[in-house]
Amino acid sequence: MPMNPDLEKERQGGTFDVEQLTHILDGGRDKTLKRHFLEQEVLKDPVFRGPDTRFLSREELFGELLRKHVAVIKKTQELSIDDINEASTIYSAAMNNNVGPLTLHSVAFVAPLDLMADDEQKKKWLIPAKKYEIIGCYAQTELGHGSFIRGLETRADYDVNTQQFVLNTPTETAIKWWVGGCVAVGDIGPKFGFGGVDNGYLCLNNVRIPRDNLLAKTGKVLEDGTYVKPENPKVVYGSMLGIRAALPKVGAYNLSKAVTIAIRYSCVRHQSEIKPGCGEPQVLDYQTQQHKLFPLLATAYAFHTVGVWMLDFHSTVMNEINEGHYHRLAEDHVLAAGLKAVINWKTHEGIEICRFSCGGHGYSLASSLPVIYVNHVANSTAEGETVILLLQTAVYLMKCVIDLEQGTPLDPSVAYLDQSFSKSEQWCSDVDMHSLLKAIQFRSKKFTEYVSSFVKKELMATGNQQLAFNKHKVILVECAKAHTEAVIMNAFVTKVDEILQSNPSVGKVLSLLCQIYGVTEILAHSGDYIQYEYLRKIDLDNIQDQLFKLYTYIRPEAVLLVDAFDFHDEVLKSILGRYDGQVYENMFKWAKASPFNKQDQGTFRKYIQQLKQAKL
Ligand SMILES: CCCCCCCCCCCCCCCCC/C=C/C(=O)SCCNC(=O)CCNC(=O)[C@H](O)C(C)(C)COP(=O)(O)OP(=O)(O)OC[C@H]1O[C@@H](n2cnc3c(N)ncnc32)[C@H](O)[C@@H]1OP(=O)(O)O
Ligand SMILES: Cc1cc2nc3c(=O)[nH]c(=O)nc-3n(C[C@H](O)[C@H](O)[C@H](O)COP(=O)(O)OP(=O)(O)OC[C@H]3O[C@@H](n4cnc5c(N)ncnc54)[C@H](O)[C@@H]3O)c2cc1C
């Protein structure tokens, strides 16, 4: 199919090599080539062809995705793939923006076995689980409790005579609920999205399991019932930590898809007139459309950068823990918590902005933006609700203030809290990304000190830390967000500095995005900068001007920047986001193919005729 002339023109501009940026995003040329190979292994294999999942009922969708997920597993094994990124490539190429039915088995059942089973148990369960000879799930949440783990009611009473645990969900609120991939007792019913996963319920009534079913790499129960605590009790939370550490990159992936669709479509879509008689401009030429999408384009790159960094950091900490060193577990936990919370929340807001920036067609499943949205938005609740996780980060920051007062060295990711920040000079309208980072770190430091003063005062008055925290949860959450933004901007600036050395032209365009990210973040909290007398109104006016100027620099690069995400049309599965930009013809073809247009519903005759007969 010929290329849409608008997109053809967009691709003649630009100042950087798209393919080189794709290689950087993938982690090197070889990884790009391997990703292409794996995608083609899926896309050319007829077993992965099937009905358009957007036309399927819940039941049909589950069945079709389960069929495809089994094919993904077979393909992964056939190609001897054990790298999670490569396995995810095969998975994403097949799932059409859905979450597959066996995802929880991989991310929430196999992972804890790997983390907490001893060698015997690994032989017994981990090896067959990796071969899908046993299928598992992660049944923690109950009807009455999800966030508050210490409030869970399920019981495991040890019967010393039989060396067994007797499991019970003693109350209705104790029923295990939301358990992804749990086909034992029942499905919890239709959901907002996640149609590909059978989130189940599980009632336990005197279910007996052998003593050695308790994963025993860390804590264990001896034959006489004595509980041997793990060296570090917090490691039992490790299974959740693993998924949280991965979710920032999942957020970046989903936002990159949405931004690709919205920016390509905004170049194809012509609407209204700027100068009468001069034709309808591309909607991406409107400043308001740029103001919707370019900060999100910058955010997708920022989130990808920090998502890769978080996974590397988490993997290093897990290796240290495997060798018995727990000193970085706390930092890993609060980084994963803050990044998972902020990135997934801002991503689902961003996908929604991408959807309505495409007008009515964004609301159609033909765009796939609604599919991406409803499957992504769960990540702000699942694996740790946003506020719950931000409070974890906030409590850690309050401890950092005490450490500072006591002269205890801080973890590297919070070292800036110990830095002094000079008042900014007059910010002219081309402030660089390093100055923007300093400003964002300054705000986080000031906010942490401000919140800590309130919590301390409350603690003095009540002597109860939980009460003190509970009274200031709103500003504690804001403090955690401010710190997390400093972590994101720091990762982005560090990566762009590195790329400026290795590939100046790519680095330059990424530095523009980094500035857009930083300026957008500062303007979103401009009142704090005035209140802390770090910036003046003139400075804020100047960076507002800078933002609009940055949009003009990014405008000719925008399509190339989303092309660099390198989503194959069959992976993106969006008519608005097609690489060739042939939207209208394919929208019409897609609509005509809808089953709704295929069979005579019969309902018309059945009910409307009654109206006629009723002679109202
Ligand atoms: C071929 C296939 C390939 C596969 C490809 C896959 C592709 C990827 C597609 C991905 C699609 C998306 C998948 C997503 C699936 C999601 C499924 C969802 C699963 C779930 O939701 S599971 C259930 C999740 N539940 C929670 O997260 C509960 C949240 N609540 C808690 O964690 C705790 O209640 C708490 C932390 C809020 C409170 O804990 P507690 O009551 O004990 O009290 P404290 O706050 O004082 O904590 C005690 C100390 O422990 C430390 N701590 C807490 N948590 C952790 C942790 N996780 N790690 C380390 N340390 C932790 C605290 O800091 C405290 O420490 P202190 O020193 O004592 O202060
Ligand atoms: C798509 C999806 C898949 C899931 N898959 C699984 C799975 O496979 N296995 C599993 O075990 N669970 C699973 N879950 C459950 C998930 O882990 C919980 O929904 C999540 O932990 C939130 O807990 P909750 O539902 O009890 O919400 P609640 O904690 O009841 O939250 C309700 C509100 O209360 C607020 N709140 C609660 N506690 C506090 C507090 N201390 N301070 C301030 N505000 C508070 C929250 O911020 C929120 O606004 C899944 C959930 C979803 C949506």
Side-chain angles (χ1 to χ4, degrees), residues 301-303 305-307 309 313 331 335 339 411-416 419 421 433-441 444 482-498 514 517-518 521:
Y301 272 92
F303 287 0
T305 305
V306 78
W309 175 86
F313 183 87
E331 187 182 20
L335 278 167
L339 288 170
D411 291 326
S413 57
V414 282
Y416 71 88
Q419 284 170 14
F421 292 83
M433 61 185 183
H434 299 93
S435 308
L436 296 170
L437 170 60
K438 285 270 165 263
I440 291 168
Q441 289 176 330
S444 175
H483 166 61
T484 304
E485 287 294 352
V487 171
I488 293 167
M489 187 66 180
N490 184 57
F492 200 9
V493 170
T494 306
K495 185 67 182 172
V496 172
D497 272 337
E498 185 191 301
C514 197
Y517 189 86
E521 172 56 24

Side-chain angles (χ1 to χ4, degrees), residues 210-464:
R211 175 174 64 91
D212 66 10
N213 276 26
L214 176 69
L215 299 183
K217 182 176 174 185
T218 51
K220 64 181 66 151
V221 169
L222 305 179
E223 286 184 11
D224 66 358
T226 312
Y227 176 53
V228 178
K229 273 190 176 172
E231 197 182 331
N232 182 320
K234 298 165 198 170
V235 77
V236 293
Y237 283 150
S239 356
M240 295 180 280
L241 183 48
I243 298 182
R244 286 176 196 155
L247 281 174
K249 195 163 174 250
V250 171
Y253 180 79
N254 292 333
L255 185 58
S256 305
K257 281 186 170 179
V259 159
T260 298
I261 295 165
I263 284 182
R264 283 180 179 164
Y265 178 66
S266 297
C267 290
V268 168
R269 185 70 169 177
H270 291 249
Q271 199 68 203
S272 314
E273 281 186 322
I274 295 181
K275 266 191 345 212
C278 291
E280 296 183 78
Q282 294 165 290
V283 293
L284 196 59
D285 289 336
Y286 289 121
Q287 190 188 54
T288 45
Q289 193 79 354
Q290 295 172 7
H291 194 49
K292 285 177 195 168
L293 296 178
F294 290 171
L296 292 176
L297 176 58
T299 301
Y301 272 92
F303 287 0
H304 175 86
T305 305
V306 78
V308 170
W309 175 86
M310 181 68 234
L311 275 172
D312 289 347
F313 183 87
H314 175 68
S315 145
T316 306
V317 173
M318 287 300 113
N319 291 336
E320 289 168 356
I321 286 173
N322 276 333
E323 286 151 23
H325 309 302
Y326 294 90
H327 60 295
R328 291 211 286 184
L329 176 60
E331 187 182 20
D332 189 25
H333 160 50
V334 296
L335 278 167
L339 288 170
K340 184 265 183 194
V342 167
I343 287 178
N344 282 288
W345 186 269
K346 286 178 81 171
T347 292
H348 85 238
E349 288 178 327
I351 297 168
E352 181 62 347
I353 291 169
C354 288
R355 182 190 64 74
F356 58 67
S357 72
C358 295
H361 298 335
Y363 191 71
S364 163
L365 294 193
S367 73
S368 277
L369 286 164
V371 181
I372 297 167
Y373 179 82
V374 294
N375 285 304
H376 171 81
V377 72
N379 296 339
S380 288
T381 306
E383 212 52 70
E385 196 275 333
T386 299
V387 164
I388 297 298
L389 296 184
L390 288 170
L391 288 169
Q392 288 291 302
T393 306
V395 168
Y396 167 83
L397 292 170
M398 295 301 107
K399 288 179 193 165
C400 291
V401 174
I402 296 166
D403 289 345
L404 273 173
E405 287 161 358
Q406 295 169 350
T408 309
L410 295 180
D411 291 326
S413 57
V414 282
Y416 71 88
L417 294 177
D418 194 18
Q419 284 170 14
S420 55
F421 292 83
S422 56
K423 294 267 176 284
S424 67
E425 313 75 48
Q426 166 90 24
W427 268 15
C428 43
S429 60
D430 62 353
V431 68
D432 75 308
M433 61 185 183
H434 299 93
S435 308
L436 296 170
L437 170 60
K438 285 270 165 263
I440 291 168
Q441 289 176 330
F442 166 83
R443 174 176 175 262
S444 175
K445 174 185 165 91
K446 293 300 285 183
F447 215 111
T448 303
E449 292 163 356
Y450 168 76
V451 172
S452 166
S453 67
F454 278 86
V455 169
K456 268 190 219 154
K457 206 155 53 183
E458 204 59 44
L459 201 50
M460 299 284 278
T462 62
N464 179 318

Side-chain angles (χ1 to χ4, degrees), residues 25 81 126 129 172 183 205 286 289 347 394 599:
L25 291 169
I81 299 293
L126 180 60
E172 199 166 65
V183 297
N205 185 2
Y286 289 121
Q289 193 79 354
T347 292
Q599 70 262 356

Side-chain angles (χ1 to χ4, degrees), residues 1 4 7 264-265 268-269 361 574-578 580-589:
M1 196 168 265
N4 170 289
L7 285 186
R264 283 180 179 164
Y265 178 66
V268 168
R269 185 70 169 177
H361 298 335
S574 166
I575 290 171
L576 301 193
R578 287 172 62 97
D580 65 9
Q582 296 300 352
V583 170
Y584 297 131
E585 176 186 339
N586 286 289
M587 276 286 276
F588 190 35
K589 210 159 85 181

